Each structure stands twice: as structure tokens, then as C-alpha cells.
Amino acid sequence: MTEAASARALLPLGLFLALFLGAGIYFQAAGVEMAFYQLASPVAILPAIVLGVLLSKQPFEERINTFVGGVGDRNIVTMCMIYLLAGAFSTVAAATGGVDAMVALGLHIIPASFLLPGLFIIAAVVSTAMGTSMGTLAALAPVALGLGQAAGIDLPLLAGVLVSGAMFGDNLSIISDTTIAATRTQGCNMSDKFKANLKIALPAAAITILWLISYDTGAVPPKIPEANLWLSLPYFFIIVLAVMGLNVFAVLALGIILAAVFGMVTVDYEWIAFSQDIYAGFLSMQEIFLLSLLIGGLSALIRQQGGLKFLANSVGAVTKRLFKHQQQRAAFGVAGLTGLTNFAVANNTVTILLSGEVSKKLAEEGNLAPRQSASLLDIFACVVQGALPYGAQALLMGASFGLNPLEVSLHTGYCFILAGVAIAMIIWRKPLEGREAMTPSTP
């Protein structure tokens, strides 16, 4: 039975954030690269789980049952299975040359005078296809750095443009772990979330491109990597199927098979390599897989002790004072909760997992559609993540380009523009008309 609202129940969550953030600050001060990723999040959460168990008033056996029940929650397990398939697709497609094909395809059609907006578009397309901002940045950074140096482009600006494009895809991609987490926690269809998200992301991207066009990058012809452009088709295949509303398990399974078939036909990709790459893809999702399970258990303990009820009541009370419209209150509650959590955690997927249940409660109370709350969750997690100087994206680009991560984060214009567009849409138009918000959607 769930206890009354209690701030004390949030202490385990506070401990997790303190350990995760504290370790990152310590290593950052010590000059360690990727400082906020030195303490693995699945390890950082273990003391919090112990504290959650100790704080519970249930008999010990029931405390463990509550935790295990949270770990085995249907949404959590489904999310983890999707993570595995998404990791397998990304690894197989990259191994068969799909990433190089996507980069080459973009560079084939970009004129030199359009280099900055062109690189933003390439990063956006590749990230949307791959479902990972970090993988996109790792793939594009060497090419972009060479182009930037040859054209004499300001490197902090160039790094910020790449992070901006990567975060566009991280936010929008149907195989991104943030999308998976957002749709599963809010209980909506991926295609519905994609369409709702697109209405905010596309105007923000258009404004970003117009801003980038104002920079003069000269006429240095880009060096295009050798690649078989046909290998980019699996990426477009899964995007089209996802938008059509096909079940995500079917989309990813078909994407994996198609990427392998294209590889076998064009680059002599072997069956044994295919099986090994699938497993490597599974391993690439190990951290977020474990963390999702453990957060599911911790959330169950916090919920049972009244912590999530307290958090929802607190956020609801603040937004109620500030906004009169019911849906605006819910939308700003989701946005504010997500942004603050990501600021503390410096990981957008972890943020969504932590904020998801409370956000769903706020959305239900505010008559906000699940697809809208999922979209806002993902948007504001990615906005803050892209603009954080101690986020993985800024740290990676800082290391790749020899820059201070703060220089990178200050130039991630798309993230700031996306936040502005999202806030404007919440203020000047209703997120959803009438009672349509309460129409259930199938995950």
C-alpha cells in the first residue's frame, strides 16, 4: 500500500544524485576527461537502493518484493528489450558501412558555402538514423574538424553546430534511448511522439539553419569519404516504418536484418560477424539496461513510501500559482521537472527515467496527452543535456577539438532555440485541444 506524501521518501533519490553529481564535479576539478562518467551510474545508484530499503516501513520481505516488482515492471522490461534491439541495429549498420554512407550522402549534396548549416543537417540526419548523439559526434568529429580547419571556421562554433545537430536526432529518433524511455514512461506510441515532437523540432531547426546561413564559410570543397551510398537505405527504412506506426520491435528487427543483407551483398559481410555485432550492440546498451532495471526498483520503493506523490504535489502547487490554464500548468511542470533533474544528473536518459512517472501523473492531472508529455520530457532533457558544459557531448567535442567544454556548450544554438520554441508553443497555444488528451494510445 502506498503511504501518504512524504519528502523523506525522496532521500534515496537525493543520495543517488549527490553521488553521481559529486563524483563528476570532483573528477572535473581534477582534470579527468569525461569526468561525469567516471562513476558508473548503475554503481552510483546502489547506495540509494540500500537507503530506500532501510527507509521503508514494510516488513523486510515486502520491501524486497516491492523493489523486485519495480525491476520487473512491464514498461521497464519492454524498454530494456528495445534498448538491446536499438544497440544491435546501430552496431550492425555501422559495421556494414552505414554511418560512412550517411556522412558521404550528406557531403555529396552540400555546397561549400553552406558548410555550417550543412553539417548541422548531416549531424541531425545521422543522429536521427543512429539514435545516439555520442555515436554521431564520434563519427563526424574527425571529418568536421578537418573541414573547419581548412575553411578557417571558428572551432567552438563548429563544435556547437555538431552538438546541436546531434541533439536534434537524439531528441527525435525513434531508436534513441531517450525516445524509448519517454514513450514507455508516458505510455504512448513512438510514431505519435515523433509527430508531436516534429512540430516543435522542425521550426527550431529551421531557425537554426537560417542563423547558420549568416556565417561566411568561404568556398573550400569538402573531402567526401568513400562509401557505398546504398548502405544508407536501412536508416531511411526504419524511419519510414516507424512514422507509419509499425510496432517498434518489428521496425528494429527488420532494420537489423536489412542492414545485414545490404552488408552481405555489398561488402561481403559474414554471418559470424553479424552474430558478433549483434552481441556487441547488446553490450553497448549494458549501462543503460542495468540502470533502467535498478531505477525501476528504486522508483517502486520511492512511490510506495509517498515520495513521488510528494514531488507531484509540490511541482503541481508551483505551476498552479504561476499558470491558469490546466494544460499549461502540466506542460511547464513536466518541462521544469525534467530540466532541473537533467541539470543535476547530466544524462538525458537517466533524467527521463527519474522524471517519467511524476511527469505522467502531472500530465494526467492536467489533461495533457501522453504524446505531448513524452515530447516535452525528451525535448527538455535534450535541451539541458546539449547545453551542459559537463555533459558527455560537450566533453567529447572539447576533447576532440582541443577546446574548453564551456566554449562548446555556449555555441549549441539549436538547444537554446528549441527551448524557446517549445516554451512559446506552450504559452501561445494550447498543447492539445479539448478532451483528446485523455484518449488512450497503444505503446
Side-chain angles (χ1 to χ4, degrees), residues 343-362:
F343 185 81
V345 177
N347 184 301
N348 44 352
T349 307
V350 175
T351 292
I352 293 171
L353 291 170
L354 289 172
S355 308
E357 188 166 347
V358 176
S359 294
K360 184 176 183 180
K361 180 175 175 59
L362 291 171

Side-chain angles (χ1 to χ4, degrees), residues 4 8 32 62 71 84 103 109 125 167-168 185-186 200 237 259-260 275 297 316 322 373 399 428:
R8 190 186 75 154
V32 177
E62 290 185 25
V71 170
L84 294 180
V103 173
I109 60 176
V125 171
M167 295 314 295
F168 173 93
T185 58
Q186 301 308 294
I200 300 175
F237 175 79
S275 66
L322 297 176
S373 59
W428 284 302

Side-chain angles (χ1 to χ4, degrees), residues 10 18 67 81 391 397 435:
L10 295 173
F67 172 77
M81 295 305 297
M397 294 308 296
R435 297 293 298 177

Side-chain angles (χ1 to χ4, degrees), residues 171 178-179 181-189 192-193 196-197 200 327 329-338 352 355-381 426 431-432 437 441:
N171 168 222
T178 60
T179 292
T183 53
R184 296 311 304 180
T185 58
Q186 301 308 294
C188 73
N189 207 313
D192 289 340
K193 182 265 186 187
N197 214 154
I200 300 175
Q327 290 184 326
R329 289 200 300 266
F332 276 110
V334 172
L337 176 66
T338 304
I352 293 171
S355 308
E357 188 166 347
V358 176
S359 294
K360 184 176 183 180
K361 180 175 175 59
L362 291 171
E364 289 173 348
E365 292 177 349
N367 197 27
L368 194 66
R371 65 177 177 273
Q372 295 290 340
S373 59
S375 175
L376 291 172
L377 253 180
D378 206 341
I379 284 173
F380 283 93
I426 294 173
L432 196 65
S441 52

Side-chain angles (χ1 to χ4, degrees), residues 116-142:
L116 279 177
L119 285 173
F120 170 78
I121 293 172
I122 289 178
V125 171
V126 172
S127 185
T128 301
M130 290 180 69
T132 165
S133 58
M134 292 297 286
T136 298
L137 294 175
L140 295 181

Side-chain angles (χ1 to χ4, degrees), residues 385-420:
Q385 181 67 26
L388 279 181
Y390 49 87
Q393 292 76 11
L395 293 172
L396 175 61
M397 294 308 296
S400 300
F401 281 31
L403 302 171
N404 185 319
L406 182 60
E407 293 181 281
V408 179
S409 63
L410 290 176
H411 287 85
T412 54
Y414 170 75
C415 294
F416 299 105
I417 293 170
L418 178 62

